[in-house]
Amino acid sequence: MDALPADWTSLAVVVFLLGMKHGFDADHLATIDGLTRVSRRAGSAFSPYCGVLFSLGHGAVVIAIAALVGSATERWETPSWLEASGAWTSIFFLTLLGILNLRAVFNASPDEVVTPVGLKGRYLGRLAEARSPWVVMLVGAAFALSFDTVSQAALFAVTGAHFGGLQNALALGALFLLGMLVTDGINGLWISRLIQRADSLAR
């Protein structure tokens, strides 16, 4: 928390930029790419907006966490060990999932579509094939249930509460969502146009 700016304007800018950075995470980029391709292949009108829909679902969880934590306490201090233990936990599980997914790729035949390994890949696989904008938002919400996103949202809520209560915590959550919307929205539009251009070139 000491690394965050001490004045509200600077804090708001930093949280917005962190939201934009979060939108560049590999799981965001890969999932929006896949959802856009599937919806485009199905002829869905919302395919260019898969990034926005994913981000709205993701951000809804962030704001819900900010509301929960912000209303629960205004003077809670984040334990100093939480950042280091959370980082190493994320590193361990992401490395393990990466190795398992690489193994699945190398063991697949050239004409086989590789199924992602892990809880998200196993249980969200069917959702990724869905053709409803609500389901795209649901996928985004499910991807927000990670240590990284939950801990960031809780930190914003606690910091916002120090500046004046629940409304400040919600404002920081909304700024984080807005930053994600910019990045994820541009990503979805870009992928959709790339696919459209590739289809035209193929014809």
Side-chain angles (χ1 to χ4, degrees), residues 23-153:
F24 279 114
D25 283 358
D27 59 342
H28 281 234
L29 297 175
T31 306
I32 291 168
D33 181 285
L35 290 169
T36 304
R37 289 175 190 276
V38 169
S39 61
R40 173 80 187 173
R41 195 179 307 130
S44 302
F46 66 85
S47 63
Y49 310 109
C50 280
V52 170
L53 294 168
F54 178 91
S55 194
L56 286 172
H58 202 79
V61 174
V62 170
I63 290 177
I65 293 167
L68 183 66
V69 175
S71 61
T73 180
E74 293 186 356
R75 293 304 302 171
W76 183 73
E77 293 294 333
T78 307
S80 58
W81 52 263
L82 184 62
E83 184 177 357
S85 63
W88 281 109
T89 302
S90 296
I91 289 168
F92 172 75
F93 282 107
L94 288 173
T95 302
L96 179 62
L97 288 175
I99 291 168
L100 292 173
N101 279 303
L102 282 173
R103 182 179 170 199
V105 169
F106 291 130
N107 289 337
S109 60
D111 59 335
E112 182 183 353
V113 176
V114 179
T115 303
V117 176
L119 291 176
K120 288 180 181 176
R122 183 177 301 165
Y123 296 110
L124 297 179
R126 290 183 182 176
L127 289 179
E129 296 176 3
R131 294 166 173 83
S132 164
W134 293 105
V135 176
V136 175
M137 292 178 69
L138 180 61
V139 172
F143 268 72
L145 299 176
S146 66
F147 181 86
D148 180 44
T149 305
V150 170
S151 60
Q152 277 187 329

